[in-house]
Amino acid sequence: MKIIYLDNNATTRVADEVIEEMLPYFGKLYGNPASMHTFGGQIHRKIEEARGRVSDLINAEPEEIIFTSCGTESDNTAIISALDSNPKKRHIVTTRVEHPAVLNFCKSMQKKGYEVKILPVDKLGRLSIDELNASVTENTAVVSIMYANNETGVIFPIKEIAEIVKSKGALFHTDAVQAVGKLLIDVKKIPIDMLSLSGHKLHAPKGVGALYIRKGTRFSPYIIGGHQEHGRRAGTENVASIIGLGKACELVKKHLHEENTRIKALRDKLEQRLLKSCPNARINGDPEHRLQNTVNISFEYVEGEAILLRLNEYNICASSGSACTSGSLEPSHVLRAMGVPFTAIHGSIRFSLSRYNTDEEIDLVLKIMPEIIKELRELSPYGREALLGAKS
Amino acid sequence: MWEYTEKVKDFFLHPKNVGEIENYDAVGEVGSIVCGDALKLYLKIDKETGKIIDVKFQTFGCASAIASSSALTELIKGRTIDEALNVSNKDIAEYLGGLPREKMHCSVMGREALESAISNYRGLKPEKVEEGEIVCKCFAVTDTKIKRVIKENNLKTVEDVTNYTKAGGGCGECVPQIEKILKEILAERVIKELVMPKERLTNIKKIALIQEIIEKEIRPPLQADGGDIRLIDVEGNKVIISLRGTCTGCLMAEVTLKNIEKKLKELVSEELYVEGE
């Protein structure tokens, strides 16, 4: 049976064109880009081509890009570099809805004596700009705020945020892992100092990421060793994956328009019809400022893991913020930060689309989903309340 | 993705005994929609024989909660209420071919619903919330429940307690309190073992005891780190042990052997000493 993959914020299918571009570098073209001979040198040229393609996508300069092993490494590198290059500043600002790659890293810095201000969000997942303004001080080394949220798709006003941070003299890092590939980003127009992106969220393979570092930003490497990446990130390059990331970025430019039209239309159809066909459902996140591919929807009186496993029977892949789906039994920190009631967090399901999804797939989900919700509610002691539409 | 057994999957996809009984003789309700799982259990009981002649359930929760509820109904159907009360949360988990550790609380919920239904039948006050002080505010778990589950399942870490009761799995604020409760119970356990009357330690008893302590106390934490040990032989007071898995060639092998010796001295006999194979 065919897989209906609606979990693209978790990871994406590697594009065929990307695989094709990578294949020779698993086989005959195995040279080390650092070598002096032509055999290695040709690999070096290919990596520089990839660097150009990545920088092109966000309108950066090639020398402003370093390759890393993943989004998490990019995030960690950006924050630690900002702290190490500003040793007198002991303050970090971030938000409650960040990815653990940023949030947990900042919390670990707390143990090293840094003061960390974690900004709240409102019910729709929006930041208070006034509070940001009040929180960044002369002692702030770095502000790390995500471009778009992985769970709800909520997009932060990054330009406004970056301008405030720069006006206070702090460094600004943004985790754009979910945004790159889905939104048009232009670092020439927004004063971002550092930006993280990840390959496997944009149809490149897992195990490769990149960090944009604006020219002139003081930088201190996280991984130390050889002179790769001009000494900014040691370790022999993950050649094939870097080349794959380059190709994927080139493809994104081609498909960005589709993201805003066809994919958005599919998402909207899925969302609106689910709200109609399933009583007691609600959307989580700011509907005005959201990634076009993401919908996070709570079905009250049903538990998310149960929904996912029923969907799994039809080979439909999605994810949930329910406590029961996380290894720690902890309900989604993002939805909790937004003050979504526990009853709605338990039944939250995220569908995230990509350019590979079709109208037929969405139709199938629309057919199956109301049945699953109905069946699970009938199993539940709250089934009657759900039908009556009473709120607990 | 959780590693569920085929039986859990089957009981989740095709649950048995779902629904309500109209003229029920007993009903038990545990959990709440806020906690993320809830179970309502209906019993029809033959007044003369005390046998459970029909049982139905309604569950709000994850796949393993639904499967555990359904397994419970299969386990108690046709039994007397006294027999049913002997069904423990472990029996429910075993019936399903095991549950992931993080999901053991689902089996605990089943056991609690059963208790609640039977107290209801016996005319006792239905206890929706166990008495005691609320420790975990996120999931409304009391200290009484935490203590009971620690004792019944021989739990050792806060993580275990979260897996079995959910306490500590929300905001995490109560974790220090759970640690305190655990410490108290672990201390009680050691004292109980120490004051147990000492019988003469025959060779057979000594070997059996060593074996039991190795199985229950020593192997699980080693296995959690990918290591393992095996008891090879006991010659007088010399206990010969072979290190397996990641223990082999581990720089800490000596320390591991010393720790095993310490534990065996403490729990079996002061005279024992441990040697590697």
Side-chain angles (χ1 to χ4, degrees):
Chain A
M1 207 170 148
K2 204 180 147 260
I3 296 285
I4 298 182
Y5 191 77
L6 298 171
D7 202 10
N8 287 281
N9 287 9
T11 195
T12 57
R13 169 179 153 185
V14 181
D16 292 340
E17 300 93 322
V18 170
I19 296 176
E20 202 182 319
E21 185 101 358
M22 288 166 67
L23 278 178
Y25 301 90
F26 288 113
K28 284 181 186 157
L29 297 174
Y30 55 83
N32 188 327
S35 299
M36 281 299 118
H37 38 70
T38 320
F39 184 60
Q42 63 182 336
I43 312 289
H44 173 75
R45 273 197 301 282
K46 209 49 201 172
I47 286 186
E48 292 317 306
E49 181 191 61
R51 200 184 307 282
R53 286 167 163 178
V54 174
S55 62
D56 245 16
L57 181 58
I58 57 170
N59 200 21
E61 301 302 320
E63 60 272 25
E64 293 175 318
I65 300 292
I66 63 169
F67 291 112
T68 65
S69 68
C70 58
T72 298
E73 187 195 320
S74 298
D75 287 337
N76 284 198
T77 303
I79 296 167
I80 200 85
S81 161
L83 297 178
D84 285 352
S85 10
N86 296 280
K88 283 190 185 142
K89 296 185 172 185
R90 308 292 294 173
H91 187 234
I92 307 169
V93 177
T94 185
T95 79
R96 281 183 68 184
V97 295
E98 295 302 308
H99 188 276
V102 168
L103 196 54
N104 288 346
F105 193 76
C106 288
K107 285 181 184 166
S108 79
M109 289 298 115
Q110 243 165 351
K111 288 184 197 132
K112 297 199 170 154
Y114 286 92
E115 195 192 325
V116 181
K117 171 75 186 173
I118 303 177
L119 297 170
V121 294
D122 69 6
K123 279 186 172 167
L124 292 178
R126 296 174 304 193
L127 270 182
S128 151
I129 295 298
D130 288 342
E131 195 158 356
L132 170 76
N133 217 335
S135 301
V136 186
T137 67
E138 337 175 294
N139 192 29
T140 306
V142 60
V143 176
S144 180
I145 292 177
M146 69 200 326
Y147 212 113
N149 188 273
N150 47 318
E151 291 191 30
T152 59
V154 170
I155 302 167
F156 282 147
I158 287 301
K159 186 162 190 279
E160 202 181 338
I161 293 170
E163 280 163 2
I164 290 173
V165 175
K166 291 322 290 171
S167 75
K168 307 258 185 159
L171 283 172
F172 180 61
H173 164 249
T174 184
D175 171 2
V177 163
Q178 292 294 344
V180 177
K182 299 176 189 130
L183 299 173
L184 190 65
I185 296 176
D186 184 343
V187 294
K188 295 266 187 319
K189 290 193 178 140
I190 310 177
I192 295 168
D193 294 308
M194 286 178 283
L195 174 148
S196 304
L197 65 97
S198 168
H200 75 110
K201 308 283 191 195
L202 44 90
H203 306 288
K206 296 159 188 66
V208 64
L211 178 64
Y212 157 81
I213 308 156
R214 181 178 295 278
K215 220 183 281 175
T217 306
R218 274 196 284 172
F219 184 76
S220 162
Y222 190 33
I223 294 187
I224 294 166
H227 57 271
Q228 291 89 352
E229 302 293 294
H230 292 283
R232 292 183 295 179
R233 201 280 187 183
T236 301
E237 296 86 342
N238 181 355
V239 172
S241 294
I242 288 172
I243 291 167
L245 174 59
K247 184 67 187 176
C249 286
E250 190 191 64
L251 289 171
V252 162
K253 286 192 103 174
K254 255 191 231 167
H255 290 280
L256 213 49
H257 174 68
E258 192 185 350
E259 189 81 32
N260 286 305
T261 50
R262 192 182 69 86
I263 298 173
K264 182 176 186 302
L266 286 183
R267 191 274 314 265
D268 290 346
K269 173 177 165 181
L270 177 66
E271 171 171 301
Q272 281 152 20
R273 300 220 181 149
L274 281 178
L275 286 176
K276 260 190 203 154
S277 60
C278 306
N280 288 302
R282 50 179 273 181
I283 301 298
N284 297 314
D286 181 4
E288 301 292 314
H289 303 97
R290 229 172 5 145
L291 293 173
Q292 310 86 328
N293 78 319
T294 308
V295 53
N296 189 313
I297 180 166
S298 278
F299 302 94
E300 298 209 47
Y301 311 103
V302 213
E303 201 281 323
E305 190 214 74
I307 303 174
L308 290 185
L309 285 181
R310 289 277 166 120
L311 283 172
N312 193 49
E313 286 301 296
Y314 299 92
N315 289 327
I316 299 170
C317 308
S319 57
S320 167
S322 149
C324 284
T325 56
S326 75
S328 58
L329 294 178
E330 193 182 330
S332 154
H333 73 285
V334 174
L335 298 184
R336 274 191 294 152
M338 288 160 62
V340 177
F342 270 101
T343 53
I345 298 180
H346 296 312
S348 67
I349 297 289
R350 177 190 70 189
F351 294 107
S352 46
L353 284 62
S354 82
R355 59 179 182 256
Y356 292 109
N357 291 120
T358 63
D359 201 33
E360 290 74 46
E361 290 177 333
I362 298 302
D363 283 339
L364 188 70
V365 176
L366 284 169
K367 184 170 157 278
I368 288 162
M369 201 60 187
E371 291 170 22
I372 292 178
I373 300 297
K374 188 167 161 277
E375 274 177 37
L376 289 172
R377 281 183 180 157
E378 279 167 2
L379 252 171
S380 142
Y382 309 112
R384 224 172 268 142
E385 290 169 52
L387 286 176
L388 291 172
K391 297 275 173 187
S392 63
Chain B
M1 178 116 194
W2 300 111
E3 289 298 326
Y4 286 133
T5 64
E6 285 307 312
K7 203 151 180 194
V8 172
K9 280 186 216 161
D10 188 42
F11 268 72
F12 163 63
L13 292 172
H14 315 287
K16 291 176 182 142
N17 310 316
V18 175
E20 294 168 76
I21 299 177
E22 263 188 39
N23 308 309
Y24 59 80
D25 295 308
V27 63
E29 220 179 330
V30 290
S32 82
I33 200 162
V34 180
C35 299
D37 40 30
L39 164 56
K40 201 166 178 180
L41 186 72
Y42 302 85
L43 304 178
K44 186 86 193 152
I45 298 167
D46 184 306
K47 301 255 169 359
E48 282 179 15
T49 58
K51 264 193 184 162
I52 298 170
I53 44 180
D54 196 14
V55 47
K56 289 260 192 291
F57 80 92
Q58 290 175 315
T59 291
F60 160 78
C62 58
S64 57
I66 292 169
S68 296
S69 310
S70 187
L72 167 74
T73 59
E74 287 287 286
L75 278 167
I76 61 171
K77 210 175 188 175
R79 300 223 197 161
T80 65
I81 46 179
D82 284 329
E83 284 167 353
L85 272 177
N86 283 328
V87 173
S88 69
N89 73 295
K90 278 187 194 161
D91 295 329
I92 299 173
E94 266 166 36
Y95 182 82
L96 289 167
L99 283 173
R101 265 194 97 63
E102 295 84 351
K103 294 287 186 172
M104 285 301 287
H105 62 86
C106 296
S107 66
V108 173
M109 182 171 76
R111 163 72 200 180
E112 283 172 356
L114 176 65
E115 271 170 44
S116 153
I118 292 178
S119 349
N120 169 261
Y121 177 68
R122 290 180 167 161
L124 302 170
K125 200 175 66 178
E127 292 171 42
K128 266 197 100 173
V129 179
E130 231 170 322
E131 281 179 22
E133 227 175 284
I134 300 260
V135 173
C136 172
K137 291 191 189 88
C138 297
F139 296 116
V141 190
T142 62
D143 57 347
T144 320
K145 174 169 175 177
I146 293 173
K147 282 179 194 164
R148 181 174 55 77
V149 176
I150 291 175
K151 285 180 188 161
E152 278 178 10
N153 293 285
N154 201 16
L155 304 183
K156 294 193 177 72
T157 64
V158 175
E159 215 184 328
D160 283 342
V161 175
T162 307
N163 290 338
Y164 277 72
T165 67
K166 288 189 162 188
C171 68
E173 218 174 81
C174 62
V175 167
Q177 246 173 301
I178 299 175
E179 271 170 1
K180 209 176 135 222
I181 296 176
L182 259 174
K183 256 191 206 154
E184 284 167 10
I185 294 178
L186 291 181
E188 269 172 42
R189 227 180 256 164
V190 172
I191 292 165
K192 219 185 259 170
E193 276 157 8
L194 286 179
V195 295
M196 267 195 315
K198 289 241 157 63
E199 293 172 45
R200 199 174 77 84
L201 202 58
T202 62
N203 255 333
I204 295 177
K205 259 190 217 154
K206 182 160 72 187
I207 294 172
L209 206 53
I210 291 171
Q211 232 161 0
E212 195 189 326
I213 286 161
I214 286 178
E215 286 306 316
K216 284 197 181 147
E217 303 277 327
I218 298 172
R219 288 184 71 201
L222 285 178
Q223 281 167 340
D225 291 334
D228 204 355
I229 58 160
R230 187 177 289 175
L231 177 65
I232 299 296
D233 205 354
V234 180
E235 294 171 4
N237 282 326
K238 182 160 89 177
V239 182
I240 304 166
I241 275 168
S242 143
L243 296 175
R244 306 279 162 116
T246 50
C247 288
T248 331
C250 170
L251 291 172
M252 300 295 285
E254 272 303 311
V255 180
T256 305
L257 286 177
K258 275 280 160 243
N259 284 338
I260 297 172
E261 184 174 285
K262 205 175 139 210
K263 199 135 223 173
L264 291 177
K265 274 179 187 288
E266 186 180 279
L267 297 173
V268 186
S269 156
E270 258 305 311
E271 286 149 53
L272 292 181
Y273 60 100
V274 170
E275 273 185 14
E277 188 189 29

